[in-house]
Amino acid sequence: MKYEVAVVADLCIDLLFQGNVTPIYGQVEQFVDDYTVEIGGSAAIFAAQLTKLGGRVAFIGAVGDDAFGDFSTHRLQELGIASTYLQRLAGVKTAVGLGLAKQDDRAMLTYSGSMQALTATYILQSGVLEQSRHLHLAGYYLLEQLHPFWANTLSSLKAKGMTISLDTNWAPKGNWEAIAPILPLVDVFIPNEAEAMRISGQADVAAAGNWLAQYSGMTIIKQGAEGATVFQGNTIQHFAIPEFLLQDLHIADTTGAGDNFDAGFLYAWLQGAPLKNCVQLAMQCGTRSLSQMGGIAGQIQHALL
């Protein structure tokens, strides 16, 4: 295969502010400590980290015909992603995410714009799905126009030998059930604990993981500082974050930590590494990214499996 992984992107620009403040209406002005402008969306962060680890990624997304569209195009080229297919849309604004990081949490506002204008026709015309070994679906709930396409397409891709991973991220409309048609076709499902409980309707991580494991091939639930738990069939394995990753850890911003975790896990998994190695690389990618603002600046440059 020409590419190891194809990624269909919830591509946006991230405008990120950092400060120990909570917005106050009534025209109250407050100072923040820092800001950054970076390419964003779960798929872009994932693709950048996977590329730095050594993976060959085909990236499909959409931008508007505007300055942020120019920035996105240039930044993706700088990141060295193997192939980038961008649907440039006249009369559409490039998607933008506004984030405010406060300690180890963040608030997010998103203008969906171009990400919701990405079409199934463009994806098919790129030819990437036929040239890739694996498909990673990121930001699934933000690309709801593609839900019917994936429901009708994933089974034929799997029949051709493609493996599939999924990280839904949050569902702004609360339509958590929207993954039901595709979850049985997913080989590796990587939600965080809040998403896992919302999707499953269960009250805790263990119950959520057991419920999800009935449908997907493998479920890895990301639990922040508590590590991660892997559910596969009737087997449950919990992994704590290695101590060396926590030493002198300074959290600047949590943006993209989960997406970097995904990239580390899937890079190792696609190499056939043992589960423990897959999770350890995932934790290394996710934890290291916390030290910098945005999801890309803190990414690691290579993998040792």
Side-chain angles (χ1 to χ4, degrees), residues 6 128-129 132-135 157-158 160-164 187:
V128 162
L129 298 182
S132 303
R133 173 186 172 194
H134 181 87
L135 172 65
L157 294 176
K158 284 189 68 70
K160 296 175 182 177
M162 176 177 270
T163 51
I164 297 165
D187 297 283

Side-chain angles (χ1 to χ4, degrees), residues 7-13 37-52 55 57-64 67-88 94-95 114 118 122 296 299:
V7 184
V8 177
D10 54 338
L11 179 62
C12 68
I13 296 295
V37 181
E38 181 58 279
I39 198 167
S42 294
I45 296 169
F46 170 89
Q49 179 61 93
L50 194 67
T51 296
K52 291 173 184 176
V57 181
F59 182 92
I60 308 169
V63 295
F68 279 157
D70 293 337
F71 179 91
S72 300
T73 302
H74 177 68
R75 189 71 179 107
L76 287 167
Q77 291 172 347
E78 284 185 335
L79 290 169
I81 295 168
S83 288
T84 300
Y85 299 83
L86 287 184
Q87 187 176 14
R88 193 85 184 227
T94 298
S114 55
L118 178 63
Y122 184 78
I296 291 176
Q299 290 176 336

Side-chain angles (χ1 to χ4, degrees), residues 92-156:
V92 175
K93 291 183 179 179
T94 298
V96 176
L98 174 63
L100 174 59
K102 182 180 180 181
Q103 298 175 349
D104 61 350
D105 200 1
R106 59 197 165 106
M108 297 172 287
L109 296 173
T110 299
Y111 172 76
S112 57
S114 55
M115 74 169 66
Q116 291 193 337
L118 178 63
T119 64
T121 299
Y122 184 78
I123 295 170
L124 291 173
Q125 288 176 344
S126 73
V128 162
L129 298 182
E130 288 73 38
Q131 301 178 71
S132 303
R133 173 186 172 194
H134 181 87
L135 172 65
H136 181 63
L137 299 177
Y140 183 79
Y141 291 116
L142 297 179
L143 300 171
E144 60 182 349
Q145 78 277 14
L146 298 178
H147 290 181
F149 172 67
W150 294 128
N152 294 325
T153 305
L154 292 187
S155 58
S156 63

